[in-house]
Each structure stands twice: as structure tokens, then as C-alpha cells.
């Protein structure tokens, strides 16, 4: 029984395309402008933060966050999970900070508090936490450590739009938080990302850094005056206040965002329902089902083999079955599993540190998978998928 289950159905709808076509009919200016600002305001309201800056990808949001930290510290260590997306690590490396990898928990795929405690030292500048595949990775203990050691908390929420911790959305706890609107995520602007903060000062620096570090991007008059007074010999239109990039998006992508955000909450509700139905019907003998699903919001179904089935024979059989049933899958879950095994870390003089043996990350690396979970998925199909998985 082939069921042809894709990782993601096209989540850009004809209504989204219509909104873009209607916009284009007016022959508007298409570079970063009023629609981008409108999307930023709407996103801030949806999330519950003061400021949001629309960028061209979640990875650009990652890069900007750590580049902001570079304006604060010359060097230092940043604690990252060993199970995360590659740009969470490369953004640290490009800014000459040392990534310190910690293991994750199986129940929420997020950083182990035990390892974070071991990793903190006088050079630690930030905890760069990833909320993986819709699970909340925050805890009171992590927030306490951030406060106690006066660290920055950066939340990568690229995979977890709408998930919460203590009734507040993820992405509202860190000084900076990052979102991705890549095609496969909870909502899409084709490509795109958002970087969010409650700090006016951080927002101004990030907005400038998004556009070459240009002072004229800032909306803060006092800040502009300060630089203009100090650098009187420079043309005030071309003062590059910070080492920046061009990470801007366009009005077209913002129109997609403005249209997609309208159905985000409803789609998230459907995804949450799908995920709990999937977990309920999965064979608990074979697959791990003790996830911390409270307040999670997953765009994927997660499958991790139980210890008895953690062998290459079962893995091959499992993959063969999924392929023959046309169920698209990714092994290693987010980012393909254990980041510390990836060649980019060894290709240059990159320095990094690993805390402990990364036991859970390695289990997920070898025996963890995800398959698609999207709003249009029918209950019948979820039952069928579970039946196939349980019969392996
Ligand atoms: C946890 C996480 N962070 C960052 C990113 C990067 O987002 P983007 O693909 O928009 O660059 C991804 C991408 O899927 C991700 O899963």
C-alpha cells in the first residue's frame, strides 16, 4: 500500500499567489519597503515582542544574532546543541567565537541542562538554544543559569513557530530570537527569516547590520546624530556604523508572509492534533513516544527507535519500508543529526569543544527520523502511516 507521503505539501497557496499578483498589478517598488515593515509589525504582534526584522532566511537571522554578540565581545565561547541546524554553528564560527557542543534530551530534543552546567565558564558569552521540531527547549533552570552568569540567551525558533513555555510563545524569552520561513516550515515566505527582540538598541544595530551596517537604516535619531557628530568628515548617507551584510528580503516575500500569517494559528492547531494522533498510534515497544508534548507545535512526525531496535538491521528494514511505501523521510532529524561529525568543523582551523559523549544526539543521529506533518493531512492517512511503521 503505497501512500506517497511527502515531507511537505506545497504550503504556498493559490490565495498567497493571488495576493502577490494583485500587489504586482500596481507596479510597486519591490525592494525592502513598506510591506516588509508591515509584516515586521504583524509578526511582532503575533509573537508578543516589540521589534522584528525581516531577513532573507533563518540562517541570516542566525548570522545576525551572533554578529550582534560580536559587537559586544571580542572573543568567547557560545554553547550550542550538537543536534541543530548547521547555521547555528557556522554563525558562531564566522564570528570567531568558539562553539561548545552539548548533548540533547530525548524527550524534547533540546540542550541538556546537565551539560550546559558543565560547559559554562568565565569565557561563556551566550547560550544559543534551538527549539527542535516544535518542542520547547526552555526550562526555569536554563533561564536561571542565563541570569546567574549574565549570559545572552539566543533562541532559534526556526522549527517551532507557535510553541510555548509557561503560556508565552517561544522566541519571547531570549534577548534575540530567530525564525525561518523556509518552504518546509510552519509558514513560508518562499525563503525568509525573522529576527526578534524587545530591546530597541539591539533592534537598531540589527537593522543596520541587515543593510551593510548603514547608519541611515536606523530609525533612532539620537543614535544617528551621535555617529554624524563623531564622523563629520563622512557623507551622512554613507556611514557604515557596523560591519554588516546585505540580508534584506523583498516586498514580494513580505506579501507572502502577510498572507500566510493569517492562517498560522489555525494550521498550527491542526499540526498539534496530527502529532498527538500519530504518537498515540505508534507502537510504544518499537518507537520512543515519551516526548514532552506540552505546548509543542511540530511540523514533522518524529520517530526514534527504542533501544531494542537500535541496530543496522532494523534501520535498513525501516528505510526500505518507507521507500517502498513512498514515505519521504530524513534520518538524523534536524540538520542530519550530530553536528560534531560534520566535515566543515575539520576543514579549517576551527576550534570547538564537545562536552561529554553526546549519547542522545548519537542515538538520534543513527536511529532518529522525521516525516511530514502538515495541516491538510487526513486522520486516515496518519493511521495508515502508523500501521506501516508498526508492522516493520
Ligand atoms: C533549527 C534551524 N535553524 C535555522 C535554520 C535555517 O533556516 P533557513 O533554511 O531559513 O536558512 C533551519 C532550517 O531549516 C533550522 O531547522
Amino acid at each position: 500500500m503505497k501512500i506517497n507521503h511527502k515531507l511537505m505539501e506545497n504550503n504556498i497557496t493559490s490565495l498567497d499567489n493571488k495576493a502577490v499578483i494583485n500587489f504586482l498589478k500596481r507596479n510597486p517598488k519591490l525592494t525592502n519597503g513598506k510591506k516588509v515593515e508591515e509584516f515586521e509589525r504583524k509578526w511582532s504582534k503575533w509573537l508578543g515582542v516589540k521589534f522584528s526584522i525581516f531577513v532573507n532566511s533563518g540562517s541570516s537571522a542566525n548570522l545576525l544574532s551572533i554578529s550582534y554578540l560580536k559587537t559586544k565581545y571580542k572573543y568567547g565561547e557560545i554553547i550550542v546543541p550538537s543536534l541543530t541546524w548547521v547555521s547555528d554553528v557556522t554563525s558562531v564560527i564566522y564570528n570567531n567565537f568558539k562553539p561548545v557542543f552539548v548533548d540533547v534530551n530525548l524527550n524534547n530534543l533540546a540542550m541538556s541542562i546537565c551539560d550546559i552546567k558543565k560547559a559554562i565558564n568565565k569565557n561563556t558569552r551566550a547560550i544559543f538554544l534551538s527549539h527542535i521540531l516544535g518542542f520547547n527547549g526552555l526550562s526555569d533552570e536554563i533561564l536561571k543559569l542565563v541570569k546567574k552568569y549574565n549570559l545572552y540567551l539566543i533562541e532559534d525558533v526556526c522549527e517551532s513557530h507557535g510553541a510555548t513555555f509557561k503560556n508565552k510563545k517561544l522566541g519571547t524569552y531570549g534577548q534575540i530570537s530567530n525564525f525561518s520561513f523556509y518552504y518546509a516550515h510552519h509558514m513560508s515566505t518562499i525563503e525568509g527569516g525573522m529576527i526578534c527582540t524587545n530591546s530597541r538598541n539591539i533592534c537598531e544595530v540589527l537593522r543596520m547590520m541587515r543593510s551593510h551596517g548603514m547608519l541611515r537604516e536606523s530609525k533612532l535619531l539620537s543614535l544617528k546624530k551621535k555617529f554624524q557628530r563623531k564622523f563629520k568628515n563622512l557623507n551622512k548617507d554613507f556611514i557604515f556604523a557596523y560591519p554588516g551584510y546585505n540580508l534584506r528580503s523583498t516586498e514580494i516575500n513580505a506579501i507572502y508572509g502577510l498572507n500566510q500569517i493569517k492562517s498560522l494559528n489555525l494550521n498550527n492547531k491542526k499540526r498539534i492534533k496530527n502529532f498527538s494522533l500519530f504518537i498515540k498510534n505508534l507502537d510504544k515497544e518499537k518507537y520512543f513516544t515519551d516526548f514532552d508534548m506540552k505546548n509543542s507545535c511540530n511540523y514533522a512526525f518524529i520517530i526514534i527507535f527504542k533501544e531494542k531496535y537500535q541496530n543496522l538491521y532494523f534501520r535498513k528494514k525501516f528505510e526500505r519500508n518507507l521507500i517502498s511505501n513512498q514515505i519521504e523521510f530524513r534520518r538524523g532529524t534536524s540538520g542530519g543529526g550530530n553536528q560534531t561529525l560534520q566535515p566543515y568543523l575539520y576543514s579549517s582551523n576551527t576550534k570547538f569543544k564537545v562536552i561529554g559523549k553526546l549519547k542522545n544526539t548519537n542515538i538520534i543521529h543513527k536511529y532518529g527520523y522525521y516525516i511530514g506533518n502538515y495541516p491538510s493531512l487526513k486522520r486516515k492517512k496518519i493511521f495508515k502511516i502508523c500501521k506501516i511503521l508498526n508492522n516493520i
Side-chain angles (χ1 to χ4, degrees):
M1 105 178 121
K2 284 186 184 150
I3 61 166
N4 190 17
H5 181 63
K6 296 254 178 302
L7 272 188
M8 176 57 74
E9 277 192 342
N10 191 357
N11 65 355
I12 303 263
T13 66
S14 56
L15 283 179
D16 298 325
N17 289 331
K18 236 183 223 162
V20 170
I21 290 163
N22 285 340
F23 176 70
L24 289 175
K25 277 183 185 158
R26 286 184 254 144
N27 198 21
K29 178 176 159 265
L30 294 176
T31 50
N32 187 326
K34 290 218 159 20
K35 287 294 166 190
V36 167
E37 285 183 7
E38 190 183 334
F39 181 37
E40 290 172 341
R41 278 195 304 277
K42 287 246 161 81
W43 183 262
S44 294
K45 192 159 175 234
W46 176 85
L47 182 63
V49 292
K50 288 187 184 149
F51 309 104
S52 296
I53 291 162
F54 188 37
V55 287
N56 55 12
S57 73
S59 297
S60 296
N62 286 164
L63 182 61
L64 270 190
S65 316
I66 308 300
S67 300
Y68 173 79
L69 292 188
K70 194 70 195 169
T71 68
K72 297 275 150 193
Y73 304 105
K74 281 206 176 80
Y75 68 95
E77 297 183 354
I78 296 183
I79 303 174
V80 295
S82 42
L83 184 82
T84 186
W85 189 251
V86 61
S87 59
D88 292 61
V89 184
T90 50
S91 56
V92 172
I93 295 168
Y94 279 137
N95 282 291
N96 283 320
F97 290 115
K98 189 195 277 185
V100 179
F101 291 95
V102 297
D103 201 8
V104 297
N105 313 306
L106 281 184
N107 69 335
N108 64 357
L109 311 185
M111 289 165 130
S112 136
I113 185 78
C114 218
D115 279 7
I116 295 178
K117 282 182 186 161
K118 285 183 200 155
I120 291 176
N121 63 49
K122 65 177 180 5
N123 290 324
T124 309
R125 308 294 184 224
I127 296 177
F128 192 2
L129 186 146
S130 297
H131 300 288
I132 294 296
L133 290 174
F135 293 120
N136 161 46
L138 282 173
S139 61
D140 283 327
E141 269 184 297
I142 290 181
L143 294 176
K144 262 187 216 152
L145 286 177
V146 166
K147 207 167 171 192
K148 180 172 172 191
Y149 294 101
N150 195 23
L151 304 174
Y152 275 90
L153 172 67
I154 316 256
E155 288 180 82
D156 180 333
V157 203
C158 289
E159 298 184 2
S160 302
H161 314 45
T164 57
F165 172 60
K166 291 187 156 181
N167 294 326
K168 268 176 66 185
K169 287 201 176 91
L170 302 183
T172 57
Y173 286 89
Q175 286 95 331
I176 300 177
S177 64
N178 305 329
F179 290 81
S180 163
F181 304 126
Y182 175 61
Y183 162 76
H185 292 167
H186 295 73
M187 65 167 259
S188 180
T189 58
I190 313 173
E191 297 278 359
M194 199 67 92
I195 178 161
C196 310
T197 181
N198 279 315
S199 156
R200 179 79 210 227
N201 182 52
I202 293 177
C203 164
E204 293 303 321
V205 176
L206 293 176
R207 197 185 296 109
M208 285 188 268
M209 282 182 134
R210 173 180 69 177
S211 281
H212 311 286
M214 270 194 295
L215 185 67
R216 69 171 132 110
E217 290 289 317
S218 170
K219 292 180 191 296
L220 205 60
L221 211 63
S222 57
L223 182 85
K224 282 183 171 179
K225 288 249 162 71
K226 198 176 103 189
F227 271 97
Q228 285 163 2
R229 267 199 303 272
K230 197 164 169 196
F231 297 95
K232 280 203 186 75
N233 57 339
L234 294 178
N235 172 350
K236 64 179 173 29
D237 286 334
F238 290 107
I239 296 178
F240 299 99
Y242 290 91
Y245 315 89
N246 180 354
L247 305 176
R248 293 183 303 244
S249 188
T250 73
E251 297 285 87
I252 295 175
N253 302 82
I255 298 277
Y256 277 112
L258 282 164
N259 223 50
Q260 286 250 323
I261 200 173
K262 290 181 199 161
S263 37
L264 180 58
N265 288 342
L266 182 66
N267 284 342
N268 280 352
K269 269 189 196 151
K270 292 179 184 169
R271 286 191 156 102
I272 291 167
K273 234 173 156 181
N274 291 346
F275 189 59
S276 60
L277 189 67
F278 175 76
I279 289 296
K280 233 186 239 161
N281 284 281
L282 213 51
D283 183 345
K284 290 163 188 46
E285 294 286 311
K286 277 189 184 136
Y287 306 110
F288 185 86
T289 52
D290 298 330
F291 294 111
D292 180 7
M293 285 161 58
K294 202 167 54 168
N295 309 318
S296 69
C297 184
N298 308 63
Y299 69 77
F301 293 153
I302 298 142
I303 305 156
I304 302 172
F305 303 168
K306 279 273 184 78
E307 200 172 344
K308 199 171 143 199
Y309 292 88
Q310 289 171 6
N311 59 67
L312 289 183
Y313 172 75
F314 187 74
R315 187 169 102 177
K316 269 196 185 145
K317 202 170 154 199
F318 176 90
E319 292 192 2
R320 257 201 322 266
N321 262 276
L322 265 63
I323 291 166
S324 68
N325 283 291
Q326 294 183 338
I327 299 174
E328 205 180 349
F329 63 87
R330 292 281 185 272
R331 190 169 76 219
T333 70
S334 179
N338 186 346
Q339 281 293 325
T340 72
L341 302 177
Q342 294 292 346
Y344 72 88
L345 281 172
Y346 305 91
S347 61
S348 57
N349 258 343
T350 303
K351 290 194 171 57
F352 64 94
K353 221 162 55 180
V354 180
I355 303 294
K357 295 216 174 345
L358 309 180
K359 182 170 170 263
N360 290 337
T361 302
N362 285 325
I363 290 173
I364 295 161
H365 184 91
K366 289 197 221 148
Y367 308 114
Y369 293 79
Y370 78 83
I371 61 175
N373 167 20
Y374 27 85
S376 60
L377 201 52
K378 299 276 178 290
R379 281 171 68 86
K380 232 166 122 186
K381 197 167 185 185
I382 297 174
F383 288 130
K384 268 189 191 166
I385 293 170
C386 289
K387 196 168 169 197
I388 291 168
L389 297 176
N390 293 344
N391 281 338
I392 298 173

